[in-house]
Amino acid sequence: MPYCTNCGTGVDTGAGYCHHCGARQSHQPGHDFLDGVSDRTATILCYIPVFGIIPSIVFLAAQRFRGNARVRFNAFQSLYLFVAWLIVSSAVPALLFAGAAPWGPAAVVTGLVKLAFFICWIYLLIKAANRQEVRLPIIGDLAARSIAEQT
């Protein structure tokens, strides 16, 4: 049972006003926590470096953004960018530079590539904040293909 947002008295589920104090109730049946998230905010949250994977997954799973191609494209592109970052930061050094010194040229190359990913995330975050769509060369094509397969 929901409670009044003003006085705390129990109110009916579909009630628009409290029967005790008369205050308007803001709870709606079936209210989704993403209802207040705009498309712009959703695309910005997708590109938070490294941690953007969490909102990306939430937005792809949410019913509210099922028909929004722009948010879904940015969420997929963010996921694929994160997967590429994982490969570069974990798998490539382990496979290619297994016997190399941790402070040698291999570490410098890996560090520069990680820096390039971070700069790419920041660039995409700024473009999303300005409502401009950027399609990365390979990752953007994969994201567009993922959206096309779901429609």
Side-chain angles (χ1 to χ4, degrees), residues 6-81:
N6 186 40
C7 69
T9 305
V11 294
D12 293 332
T13 305
Y17 294 93
C18 175
H19 62 84
H20 183 264
C21 69
R24 188 170 183 353
Q25 301 302 300
S26 61
H27 56 78
Q28 304 287 331
H31 181 71
D32 188 10
F33 76 96
L34 293 175
D35 284 344
V37 177
S38 69
D39 296 351
R40 179 176 178 250
T41 303
T43 57
I44 290 171
L45 289 174
C46 288
Y47 290 121
I48 296 173
V50 181
F51 298 107
I53 188 170
I54 296 166
S56 295
I57 292 170
V58 169
F59 297 143
L60 286 172
Q63 185 66 34
R64 182 180 184 292
F65 295 109
R66 296 262 175 184
N68 191 325
R70 182 173 182 261
V71 171
R72 295 183 69 76
F73 170 79
N74 286 299
F76 273 120
Q77 183 165 258
S78 175
L79 283 175
Y80 294 144
L81 186 64

Side-chain angles (χ1 to χ4, degrees), residues 122-151:
I122 298 300
Y123 174 74
L124 290 169
L125 187 120
I126 291 168
K127 290 297 186 179
N130 291 324
R131 293 189 172 131
Q132 299 172 351
E133 186 172 307
V134 175
R135 183 180 285 202
L136 297 175
I138 296 170
I139 295 171
D141 295 338
L142 287 172
R145 191 175 314 146
S146 296
I147 292 173
E149 289 175 357
Q150 291 182 348
T151 56

